[in-house]
Amino acid sequence: MIRSRLLVVDDDAESCEAVAEVLRAEGYMVATSQGGHAALMLVREHAFDVVVSDIRMPDLDGVALLRELRETDPEPSVILMTAFGTVEAALEAIKQGAYDYVGKPLRLEELLLTVRRALEQRRLLRENQQFRAALQERYQIPNIVGVSSRMIDIFKLVARVAPARSTVLITGESGTGKEVVARALHFNSPRAVAPFVTIDCVSLSEGVLESELFGHVRGAFTGAVGARRGLFEAASGGTVFLDEVGGISPNTQARLLRVLEQQEVRPVGSNEAVRVDVRLVAATNKDLEGQVKTGHFREDLFYRLNVVRVHLPPLRERREDIPALALHFLRKYAEANDKAISGFAPESMSRLEAYPWPGNVRELENAIERGVAVSAHPILLPDDLPAHIVMSTPAGPNGAVAPDSLPLLSLGEVARHQIVRVLTVTGGNKKRAAEILGVDRKTLYRLIDRYRIASARPPAEP
Ligand SMILES: Nc1ncnc2c1ncn2[C@@H]1O[C@H](COP(=O)(O)OP(=O)(O)OP(=O)(O)O)[C@@H](O)[C@H]1O
Ligand SMILES: [Mg+2]
């Protein structure tokens, strides 16, 4: 076991030594420094996990020291000791990235607990970093994150069909990632150099939709003062993404069918057809087969669209993806907001894993975006998450997911789920994962093999 290295900084030699003694008695390696400048020199030469510093020092005070420390690499966690009257400075310091503060005169238990928490947090951050590195290596479809077997099958399918011209129908509940997949199809195809044009079929009235899609000639209708090229023409060589395709009117359905059958569009008000070379990707969260049965959607158009089907399962059916997605969004919004938040408290993660996510990935993304915005800590705490998510999901012991929130799974699926989860938490460390799972490493490798976990990687090319 590697001993954690601590540095105690206080201009008062006696109290500096007293604090150091207490920490040494806990088994930490502890150095001391009387004053901020000396501390900075030490930190630049030796790596420390945690710096415990007085806030009021004549040469370089605790807050200024903190600012300097944030530039060092590796960056230690900072705990400030504040006497009466400096609490405000301490709060300011937390905003600037201090881990926490403890009041003076020191209470032993409080100090030890805070140090322990800081070390635990560092361990988590380290694991998350390893985990991210592993993720990036594994998945080559940028912006789509997933580790579940169902998502891996989707990655493979996307990689296989992206380069083709075949029409793809993407189905799935709202927020499951249909648009993300549509973009992946475009950007992983030779069409990536040409436009990707999205059109939301339900937001436009029938007339506007038709002229948007197919264009119109001058005077085709009142207000059509000039001719206009439609999106199909504008997207020539590229991809047209028809979102919410279940919402288009019978008339537009007929026109669309013609485009697909003849590879040409006729602008509204024109008799002349224009050849177009586009790939069509359509998406719907409706039951399109059902709409065909009830006569609301043309069967022939359905078959034209449904050449390749990509179905995105709801997030609650692929809970293994939650930690990976959560980390992806955390990193995205931390970077966008310039915040140094690099992980989740274990409790927060178990809440996220247990919640049913009716709004799917979009809801998860929103929850984390908000969490990052409100958080004042280097890791996301349960308090940073929307109350209804935290409340609806009482976490079990060790952050286990409440049993009745899990779908009914076979033993094999449960085993796979648990292995992926432990590998995620250990940052891919097989030795630790095997210890946690209570099997030897050889057995773990066999299981990884059997459940296709190691080969969890979409092909680079079809
Ligand atoms: N696998 C994923 N990896 C990373 N981000 C994802 C993934 N799936 C979805 N997202 C993100 O979640 C949000 C919702 O995804 P998207 O817009 O693709 O959903 P949708 O299925 O089109 O939803 P709707 O039916 O409501 O239009 C987006 O911000 C998207 O970037
Ligand atoms: Mg969408």
Side-chain angles (χ1 to χ4, degrees), residues 235-284:
S236 191
T239 306
V240 169
F241 175 47
L242 288 182
D243 208 358
E244 307 300 343
V245 74
I248 62 178
S249 70
N251 255 331
T252 316
Q253 289 180 28
R255 276 177 172 272
L256 195 57
L257 182 65
R258 216 169 308 136
V259 176
L260 284 174
E261 280 175 342
Q262 287 152 20
Q263 310 289 337
E264 52 186 39
V265 293
R266 202 145 9 109
V268 178
S270 163
N271 292 321
E272 261 167 70
V274 186
R275 280 211 75 74
V276 290
D277 164 31
V278 294
R279 182 210 207 147
L280 198 70
V281 176
T284 181

Side-chain angles (χ1 to χ4, degrees), residues 314-329:
L315 191 53
R316 61 185 174 278
E317 288 177 17
R318 46 180 168 110
R319 286 182 192 274
E320 305 146 79
D321 289 335
I322 293 173
L325 283 164
L327 279 168
H328 170 75
F329 294 133

Side-chain angles (χ1 to χ4, degrees), residues 363-384:
E363 187 183 7
L364 175 62
E365 177 167 8
N366 291 344
I368 293 187
E369 178 178 11
R370 176 188 170 281
V372 168
V374 301
S375 169
H377 307 92
I379 55 172
L380 223 63
L381 304 178
D383 277 353
D384 298 327

